[in-house]
């Protein structure tokens, strides 16, 4: 039983509690909306683009569609032991030139990936000073990206260029390494005639 003199106090207290709950709910909704606006409008869109120096991720997976190139599966030491040519490409993931050149490197791998070892090398992984050892990538790095170096079967540097190199220029260097016919005389990748036999370089 509620005495009449306390009835109004109880009703007033109940109304106050409901009012506080409404204010609290409205405040929580406001905070949630504000947080969402900050989260979604304050963060720049992560759109992959070839035309800037912004980091978007691993460029060989994003732009070249060839994530198998990185990290390299072998080391220069392994290539020397097997007498296989090496293609070293120095790059960074936040370089416009490196992004665009990654496509060329992937195209080259389609033709020469079975006969040569491809070693795209992230310069962030290199030591501050070049190594004196010819089996270390830093031995060949000259402070520029992209930089392309080809070592022949004997480990000799036969190609060393900086910047975005056309496919044809690197292809010409590989043709000399593998003793192939010049491009204008060979649509397919074919070795020079030896003992009246053409030995085809696999591009499968």
């Amino acid at each position: 039983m509620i005495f009449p003199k306390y009835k109004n106090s109880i009703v007033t207290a109940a109304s106050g509690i409901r009012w506080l709950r409404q204010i609290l709910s409205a405040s929580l909704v406001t905070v949630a909306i504000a947080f969402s606006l900050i989260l979604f409008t304050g963060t720049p869109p992560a759109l992959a683009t070839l035309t800037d120096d912004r980091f978007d991720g691993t460029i060989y997976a994003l732009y070249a569609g060839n994530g198998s190139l990185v990290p390299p599966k072998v080391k220069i030491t392994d290539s020397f032991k097997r007498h296989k040519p090496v293609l070293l490409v120095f790059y960074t993931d936040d370089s416009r030139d490196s992004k665009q050149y990654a496509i060329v490197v992937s195209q080259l791998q389609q033709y020469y990936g079975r006969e040569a070892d491809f070693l795209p090398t992230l310069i962030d992984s290199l030591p501050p000073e070049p190594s004196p050892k010819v089996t270390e990538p830093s031995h060949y790095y000259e402070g520029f990206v992209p930089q392309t170096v080809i070592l022949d079967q004997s480990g000799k540097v036969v190609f060393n260029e900086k910047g975005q190199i056309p496919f044809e220029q690197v292809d010409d260097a590989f043709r000399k390494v593998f003793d192939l016919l010049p491009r204008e005389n060979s649509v397919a990748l074919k070795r020079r005639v030896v003992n009246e036999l053409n030995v085809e370089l696999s591009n499968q």
Side-chain angles (χ1 to χ4, degrees), residues 48-65:
T49 174
L50 283 167
T51 58
D52 61 36
D53 295 322
R54 188 178 64 208
F55 174 77
D56 298 310
T58 304
I59 62 175
Y60 282 91
L62 280 175
Y63 303 107

Side-chain angles (χ1 to χ4, degrees), residues 129-176:
E129 298 296 328
S131 171
K133 298 180 180 178
V134 296
T135 54
E136 294 296 325
S138 65
H139 178 79
Y140 306 94
Y141 181 56
E142 297 177 355
F144 196 91
V145 291
Q147 178 190 346
T148 305
V149 178
I150 296 179
L151 310 176
D152 68 9
Q153 294 89 333
S154 66
K156 177 184 176 183
V157 176
V158 295
F159 185 85
N160 186 358
E161 294 290 340
K162 302 178 184 68
Q164 294 190 56
I165 310 301
F167 171 92
E168 291 78 12
Q169 191 173 345
V170 187
D171 179 48
D172 286 342
F174 266 131
R175 286 175 182 271
K176 291 178 182 178

Side-chain angles (χ1 to χ4, degrees), residues 88-181:
L88 274 170
V89 178
F90 297 98
Y91 75 98
T92 62
D93 283 320
D94 57 356
S95 159
R96 174 181 58 186
D97 291 339
S98 291
K99 292 176 183 181
Q100 295 172 359
Y101 190 58
I103 299 169
V104 174
V105 176
S106 184
Q107 291 171 342
L108 289 162
Q109 192 207 29
Q110 293 176 19
Y111 292 101
Y112 298 103
R114 287 183 177 269
E115 300 295 324
D117 289 331
F118 280 59
L119 282 71
T121 302
L122 192 64
I123 64 168
D124 294 341
S125 66
L126 300 176
E129 298 296 328
S131 171
K133 298 180 180 178
V134 296
T135 54
E136 294 296 325
S138 65
H139 178 79
Y140 306 94
Y141 181 56
E142 297 177 355
F144 196 91
V145 291
Q147 178 190 346
T148 305
V149 178
I150 296 179
L151 310 176
D152 68 9
Q153 294 89 333
S154 66
K156 177 184 176 183
V157 176
V158 295
F159 185 85
N160 186 358
E161 294 290 340
K162 302 178 184 68
Q164 294 190 56
I165 310 301
F167 171 92
E168 291 78 12
Q169 191 173 345
V170 187
D171 179 48
D172 286 342
F174 266 131
R175 286 175 182 271
K176 291 178 182 178
V177 167
F178 291 113
D179 196 29
L180 300 173
L181 291 169

Side-chain angles (χ1 to χ4, degrees), residues 22-40:
Q22 290 174 353
I23 291 176
L24 183 60
S25 297
S27 299
L28 290 175
V29 170
T30 303
V31 170
I33 291 172
F35 182 75
S36 299
L37 288 173
I38 292 171
L39 183 64
F40 292 111

